[in-house]
Amino acid sequence: MLETLQRDSVRYFWELANPENGLVPDSSRVGAPSSIAATGFGLASLVVAADRDWISRGAVAERILATLRTFWNGPSGEGSAAIGERGFFYHFLDMKTGHRARRCEVSTIDTTFLLAGGLIAAAYFDGSDPVEAEIRELGHALYRRTDWLWALAGGNTVSHGWRPETGFLKARWQGYNEALLLQVLALGSPTHPIPESSYRAWTETYRWRKVYEWEVLYSGPLFTHQFSHAWIDFRGISDSYLRERGSDYFENSRRATLIQQRYAMRNPLGFAGYGEHMWGLSSGGGPGPSVRFAAGRPRRFWDYRARGVPWGPDDGTLMPGAVAASLPFAPELVLRTLEAIEERVPGARGDFGYRCGFNPTFAPEGWAYAHSFGIHQGPVVLMVENFQTGLIWNLTRRCAPVEEGLRRAGFRGGVSDRARPCVGLRGQRVGN
């Protein structure tokens, strides 16, 4: 089941991407623009495909090189052809031209996932031929070019983004969320690192809560407990915030997964289908926007929204990809839940792995989102692989800037063990 799920999810990044420039669409919907975060997850997912011999190493290398060249050569600035600014890139790009789409923002978090994909590719492709050598060069060059100090926008914490028309967005990264990876990369930059005080300023906005019988660093949607973990192995290492509380980020994600199950078992809003092995509230598409009478009362349903537990929002929509991406945290629970989804929700699967979401409450016959999203398929590929072989975690462990970022963030415990050799599926050493 896991291999089929991984292979179908990899197909999203191989078959839907533009082979000329490597850009990956935001969703499988016809005409969708490229998402730079999906493109970053795609770079790492294709590394998994190459390591498992699903796609030849040479073909994957050529595609990845085309992608990295697109971002390295694309113009920056305010013009209509611009791809980004100061080493950061626009959230959405035109699939054909690579130009800014939808008057969107230069996104710090989405650029983070793109850069992480480039660093993974640079670590994996360690051959001497010109293609692999250029992958290494561009993967690191893109990261070095990124001006994290600029993204502080005169404040203590990193801004969400910037628009040429209006300047920096008012929103900054606050509270625990998917930006843990952003903090590590920004701290570890060899060219434009943010100060350590910026990381402390971020953790000062954390919320420590007791939810049911677990004390956790709180964040409601599942994806916030997964996206950074897809790249970095946080087992056994803690920053000062979690050391003081006797936990680490991996354990925190394990508890968040168990809280999701407990919430579904309690099912305080009375949605259909929720139970011990039917859970998974995260960011994704639902059957709305609409209001209809369902499960005994009028219900409001949303389209794409970040759903979370235990304080919502919740409209009965569950995200199967978010369940799969929790595999390393609670393997037995996740496997039994995936088996239940396979048996009871036939519409949860599409051509490219799991669809975005399904909602048993919305319609008596069930409802499933028509499309898949790249930022959902990527974590499935990476987290299943980390559970089985540790490939992505091991490649990241060989990346010196990541280790420097963790050190500057104050992570301690087990750091000396992090330099162990990087091995892939077949037990062969990979990376440089």
Side-chain angles (χ1 to χ4, degrees):
M1 179 180 66
L2 292 178
E3 180 171 347
T4 300
L5 178 60
Q6 264 191 306
R7 295 189 70 159
D8 287 348
S9 300
V10 163
R11 288 180 53 233
Y12 181 99
F13 301 105
W14 186 252
E15 297 181 12
L16 297 185
N18 182 342
E20 299 300 320
N21 57 26
L23 295 179
V24 173
D26 178 49
S27 75
S28 58
R29 182 184 289 110
V30 174
S34 172
S35 154
I36 61 169
T39 301
F41 276 113
L43 292 172
S45 296
L46 292 182
V47 164
V48 172
D51 196 64
R52 286 184 169 269
D53 286 332
W54 294 336
I55 308 172
S56 74
R57 181 182 178 104
V60 168
E62 291 285 356
R63 176 68 64 84
I64 287 178
L65 180 56
T67 309
L68 298 179
R69 283 175 173 172
T70 294
F71 288 96
W72 182 251
N73 296 323
S76 62
E78 303 180 9
S80 61
I83 196 171
E85 177 70 6
R86 302 290 186 97
F88 293 93
F89 299 98
Y90 285 106
H91 189 161
F92 298 109
L93 301 174
D94 184 277
M95 282 289 294
K96 294 182 179 179
T97 65
H99 300 168
R100 177 192 186 194
R102 299 178 175 177
R103 292 176 63 84
C104 64
E105 82 287 4
V106 163
S107 171
T108 54
I109 188 63
D110 294 280
T111 298
T112 294
F113 297 125
L114 176 67
L115 297 174
L119 291 174
I120 288 294
Y124 183 80
F125 287 100
D126 58 353
S128 60
D129 69 272
V131 171
E132 297 199 12
E134 189 174 352
I135 287 175
R136 293 194 297 277
E137 178 185 352
L138 293 183
H140 289 290
L142 284 165
Y143 175 52
R144 290 194 302 268
R145 188 172 67 177
T146 308
D147 191 346
W148 300 99
L149 282 171
W150 173 75
L152 287 175
N156 293 326
T157 55
V158 175
S159 169
H160 277 209
W162 173 87
R163 284 192 174 92
E165 296 84 5
T166 56
F168 283 102
L169 306 183
K170 293 182 179 180
R172 293 179 178 273
W173 288 105
Q174 295 183 335
Y176 179 62
N177 45 48
E178 71 275 22
L180 180 56
L181 177 66
L182 179 152
Q183 305 295 329
V184 173
L185 291 187
L187 285 165
S189 170
T191 51
H192 307 286
I194 61 173
E196 295 175 19
S197 60
S198 180
Y199 186 80
R200 292 194 297 272
W202 182 54
T203 60
E204 287 171 0
T205 67
Y206 280 2
R207 292 179 293 168
W208 187 255
R209 297 285 187 269
K210 185 171 184 180
V211 184
Y212 308 134
E213 66 263 43
W214 296 283
E215 291 191 347
V216 292
L217 176 51
Y218 176 73
S219 183
L222 262 178
F223 82 93
T224 59
H225 298 280
Q226 298 166 344
F227 274 23
S228 294
H229 293 259
W231 310 92
I232 300 177
D233 181 3
F234 286 100
R235 292 176 295 179
I237 61 171
S238 296
D239 59 11
S240 62
Y241 183 93
L242 285 183
R243 275 199 306 277
E244 293 173 359
R245 292 160 177 80
S247 187
D248 61 50
Y249 287 97
F250 188 91
E251 170 61 20
N252 197 73
S253 290
R254 186 188 74 85
R255 295 179 189 180
T257 304
L258 298 177
I259 288 169
Q260 287 267 340
Q261 182 196 40
R262 183 62 54 84
Y263 174 84
M265 293 170 67
R266 291 191 175 194
N267 194 11
L269 299 180
F271 288 112
Y274 282 27
E276 181 179 9
H277 297 117
M278 196 61 63
W279 47 271
L281 274 72
S282 191
S283 181
S290 67
V291 177
R292 67 166 56 183
F293 193 87
R297 57 171 147 153
R299 306 271 186 174
R300 182 177 297 278
F301 299 95
W302 304 293
D303 189 356
Y304 203 98
R305 189 161 184 174
R307 299 160 174 85
V309 304
W311 299 296
D314 182 9
D315 66 349
T317 303
L318 300 177
M319 313 299 169
V323 174
S326 287
L327 184 60
F329 307 129
E332 183 177 351
L333 168 59
V334 169
L335 288 171
R336 293 186 67 183
T337 303
L338 293 179
E339 289 171 353
I341 291 172
E342 296 285 332
E343 293 173 2
R344 294 162 50 187
V345 191
R349 283 285 195 109
D351 292 337
F352 305 105
Y354 284 129
R355 298 182 190 276
C356 183
F358 62 90
N359 191 315
T361 302
F362 184 74
E365 68 278 8
W367 175 91
Y369 204 83
H371 305 289
S372 301
F373 282 78
I375 60 170
H376 299 166
Q377 311 315 100
V380 170
V381 176
L382 304 192
M383 290 298 259
V384 170
E385 192 62 30
N386 284 329
F387 171 70
Q388 296 188 106
T389 73
L391 175 64
I392 302 301
W393 285 342
N394 287 331
L395 289 169
T396 305
R397 191 175 289 117
R398 307 296 294 182
C399 183
V402 172
E403 294 303 305
E404 175 65 9
L406 290 170
R407 186 194 66 77
R408 297 190 67 223
F411 279 85
R412 302 290 184 271
V415 175
S416 62
D417 297 329
R418 296 178 67 83
R420 56 187 178 268
C422 177
V423 295
L425 177 66
R426 295 175 294 281
Q428 299 171 340
R429 185 184 183 281
V430 298
N432 48 17

